[in-house]
Amino acid sequence: GSIETKGLASPIIVKLKKDHYEVILGRKRLIAAKLFKLDTIPCFVIEVSEEEMLLMIAADIRDSKNQNVVELSMICSRLSNYYGYSQTDLAKLLRISRPQLTNVIRISSLPDDVLLDVSLGKLSFGHAKTLLTLPDELIYKVVHKIYEDNLSVRDTEKVIDNLRNHTDYYSQEKTLSTKYKCQVDIQKKKITFSFKTKEEKD
């Protein structure tokens, strides 16, 4: 049966926050109920910490058919930065590989308007991953080209490879990589040097 005629089959989950309730699980159901102008819906009020709430939302996204990778990225970043969860812990929680979890977390470093496009499904997770090594000014150039030419992820990777060979930004990476004999990744706010062994690093 429909929400309009039978209401919600399962309750939404909320927590009391000062003078209002914050929805933990069931935001889409709440929006649907409002669209159908339902007067009441079933609801559970629970007391949970922010950490517990984030874990509940992460598990709900994990089990959802339509995952919002941007929301998941921000939740994982919060759990990692504020509550000390390792990437191994989070990968186990989400039942994904650690490299995949790393990419999920890194997505949150993209500019806000690009993140909005990913959240809305205008850009795929695959497209977003290809943009992670670019500075903002090149991100916008590539995103514009993705839309303009309807580029696949593979085509986008080719465009970025071409940029690597024709911009000063990437010549800096090559210079540092040659100097220190390691892989260098220059991003907006950091430079990462990756060595094959601890001895090379030392």
Side-chain angles (χ1 to χ4, degrees):
S2 70
I3 291 176
E4 186 175 14
T5 57
K6 296 188 176 181
L8 296 183
S10 57
I12 66 170
I13 311 296
V14 303
K15 66 176 288 189
L16 182 62
K17 193 171 183 181
K18 293 184 179 178
D19 59 347
H20 66 280
Y21 291 97
E22 181 177 3
V23 178
I24 299 174
L25 302 178
R27 279 170 291 173
K28 289 181 181 178
R29 281 172 283 159
L30 178 60
I31 291 169
K34 286 182 178 180
L35 286 173
F36 288 118
K37 299 180 180 177
L38 299 182
D39 293 329
T40 60
I41 57 173
C43 171
F44 279 137
V45 182
I46 61 175
E47 291 185 21
V48 289
S49 65
E50 184 193 55
E51 179 184 354
E52 291 169 321
M53 181 178 73
L54 292 172
L55 290 170
M56 289 175 67
I57 297 171
D60 187 58
I61 295 172
R62 175 197 68 198
D63 297 336
S64 171
K65 291 179 182 177
N66 302 310
Q67 290 188 351
N68 186 328
V69 70
V70 174
E71 186 176 27
L72 191 59
S73 175
M74 292 178 174
I75 288 170
C76 287
S77 295
R78 183 84 179 170
L79 285 168
S80 175
N81 295 333
Y82 288 85
Y83 297 104
Y85 284 77
S86 69
Q87 292 198 6
T88 301
D89 295 333
L90 293 169
K92 286 179 181 177
L93 170 69
L94 299 172
R95 300 175 194 151
I96 60 177
S97 69
R98 183 169 173 179
Q100 189 176 354
L101 188 277
T102 300
N103 283 324
V104 166
I105 290 178
R106 289 178 68 201
I107 288 293
S108 63
S109 68
L110 291 171
D112 288 348
D113 42 357
V114 175
L115 283 176
L116 179 60
D117 283 359
V118 177
S119 183
L120 294 173
K122 292 181 180 180
L123 282 174
S124 71
F125 179 46
H127 283 111
K129 283 194 293 184
T130 67
L131 302 171
L132 288 171
T133 59
L134 296 170
D136 285 359
E137 62 271 19
L138 290 184
I139 286 175
Y140 290 115
K141 277 187 179 180
V142 173
V143 168
H144 177 73
K145 193 160 184 63
I146 290 170
Y147 291 149
E148 189 175 48
D149 298 336
N150 196 27
L151 297 180
S152 67
V153 173
R154 183 161 292 187
D155 289 337
T156 304
E157 288 172 344
K158 289 177 183 176
V159 168
I160 290 173
D161 283 341
N162 188 49
L163 282 172
R164 285 180 189 276
N165 298 323
H166 295 91
T167 65
D168 291 337
Y169 176 79
Y170 285 108
S171 68
Q172 291 174 11
E173 283 189 344
K174 288 179 182 177
T175 300
L176 289 170
S177 180
T178 302
K179 181 176 180 179
Y180 294 107
K181 297 179 182 178
C182 65
Q183 182 180 339
V184 178
D185 180 20
I186 301 177
Q187 297 182 40
K188 290 182 297 182
K189 298 179 181 178
K190 66 179 179 180
I191 300 176
T192 304
F193 298 83
S194 302
F195 299 88
K196 291 181 180 178
T197 66
K198 185 177 183 300
E199 287 72 24
E200 286 183 2
K201 185 193 77 168
D202 292 338

